[in-house]
Amino acid sequence: MKYSLQPLPYGDDALEPIISRDTVRVHYGKHELGYINKLNDMIAGTEYETMSLEDIIRSSSGSLFNNAAQVWNHQFYFLTFTPHTRRHPVGALATAIERHWETFETFCEVFMQSGMSLFGSGWVWLCSDDEGHLGIRALSNAGNPLTEGLIPLLTFDVWEHAYYIDYRNRRDAHLHNLWQLVDWSVVESRYNKVIE
Ligand code: MN
């Protein structure tokens, strides 16, 4: 099996109460694992078996794209959190955010509004072009900015399975609280790789 669950850099109860242990166990341990298992089954014995996950995402469609992108998106999502956040970015990323949205708080508002305006399931993304210009994308279902030639920096999952156990139907409360878990050092290092 080519793909497996990525280890998490925190315990399954470390993100409580923002993301409960129940949600980590179901979202990471069941939903993400389900996409991984389906992807492994779909690529076995095909040309995709030797391809990078990013190349599968850029070159496939339909159910293979959906499962490959959901694996990538969930790995990226769960590796963006820490119980020890410093609450806001610094350095080049902070400067770029302020250049585009004037303040970090305005960026957070626009990001949350994008997530709220997405009908049905999907992901809201902070991404960069290859020159370091930032943008926000709200993409349906398994959507990933790699298909638009953009570099993902941060994502919040707005599928109901990400928040229904802890927040019921309150997507807004979930998005609002997730800022308390963002590991900005991870997001900054993704951005610094783009502009270096
Ligand atoms: Mn999810």
Side-chain angles (χ1 to χ4, degrees):
M1 288 298 160
K2 180 163 180 187
Y3 297 102
S4 54
L5 277 176
Q6 79 286 12
L8 296 180
Y10 44 78
D12 61 8
D13 62 351
L15 306 181
E16 292 194 330
I18 312 298
I19 301 175
S20 69
R21 180 170 60 183
D22 278 355
T23 290
V24 171
R25 286 183 171 175
V26 172
H27 192 191
Y28 165 81
K30 306 277 187 205
H31 287 282
E32 184 183 331
L33 182 61
Y35 297 121
I36 289 169
N37 290 338
K38 280 183 208 145
L39 177 63
N40 282 327
D41 286 346
M42 294 181 88
I43 63 173
T46 77
E47 61 189 305
Y48 296 105
E49 200 165 21
T50 54
M51 227 181 243
S52 72
L53 190 52
E54 289 80 6
D55 284 342
I56 297 176
I57 289 168
R58 291 190 194 99
S59 64
S60 65
S61 59
S63 151
L64 178 57
F65 169 81
N66 285 335
N67 284 288
Q70 285 293 80
V71 169
W72 196 101
N73 296 357
H74 282 95
Q75 290 182 344
F76 190 82
Y77 172 79
F78 281 112
L79 293 177
T80 306
F81 297 127
T82 174
H84 311 294
T85 179
R86 64 175 133 79
R87 295 295 186 113
H88 60 83
V90 296
L93 177 64
T95 304
I97 286 173
E98 283 160 14
R99 193 184 305 130
H100 197 294
W101 291 281
E102 300 219 346
T103 68
F104 173 66
E105 290 70 27
T106 304
F107 155 72
C108 293
E109 285 299 324
V110 175
F111 190 91
M112 288 188 287
Q113 284 164 16
S114 299
M116 288 304 295
S117 66
L118 188 63
F119 184 81
S121 297
W123 301 79
V124 56
W125 301 85
L126 170 66
C127 41
S128 175
D129 68 14
D130 53 17
E131 293 182 332
H133 301 120
L134 300 178
I136 292 172
R137 291 284 186 283
L139 302 175
S140 293
N141 300 319
N144 182 304
L146 289 171
T147 62
E148 300 177 19
L150 298 169
I151 300 126
L153 303 176
L154 167 73
T155 192
F156 287 179
D157 187 340
V158 298
W159 286 59
E160 279 189 347
H161 69 217
Y163 57 86
Y164 210 80
I165 292 171
D166 301 331
Y167 298 88
R168 294 296 175 185
N169 59 320
R170 299 279 318 278
R171 181 189 287 189
D172 57 339
H174 179 241
L175 294 177
H176 191 264
N177 285 353
L178 279 182
W179 300 110
Q180 298 175 51
L181 295 175
V182 174
D183 189 344
W184 286 105
S185 65
V186 169
V187 185
E188 286 153 12
S189 71
R190 291 167 180 161
Y191 185 63
N192 290 338
K193 271 184 213 146
V194 175
I195 60 170
E196 72 185 6

